[in-house]
Amino acid sequence: MHQAAAGPTVVTPELLRAARDLLPNPEHSITSIARLLGVSPGTLSNHIPDLRELRASRPQTKYAGKG
């Protein structure tokens, strides 16, 4: 039996909420968040118009200013 190619990922409100919760965290890259949620980084940027603003609002890392 032949398997069909995977179709587009359904982006749910829950998936978007999870991505929005993770985006400000400096420990998570956009790529790692996308991988965790089973989508591509492009899917996140297509569905979260303020993605760059969310990333910019992330808190300083605990190592900032040391050294």
Side-chain angles (χ1 to χ4, degrees):
M1 188 191 241
H2 184 269
Q3 276 189 319
T9 302
V10 176
V11 178
T12 64
E14 293 79 17
L15 185 140
L16 292 176
R17 191 173 312 113
R20 286 179 173 280
D21 288 346
L22 292 168
L23 281 165
N25 187 331
E27 295 179 11
H28 300 293
S29 68
I30 292 172
T31 301
S32 69
I33 293 168
R35 187 177 302 129
L36 175 71
L37 298 175
V39 298
S40 72
T43 296
L44 290 183
S45 62
N46 288 340
H47 287 87
I48 304 175
D50 57 343
L51 184 137
R52 290 186 189 275
E53 290 81 7
L54 287 169
R55 291 302 280 174
S57 70
R58 61 188 178 179
Q60 294 289 325
T61 62
K62 60 185 171 186
Y63 303 108
K66 292 186 178 182

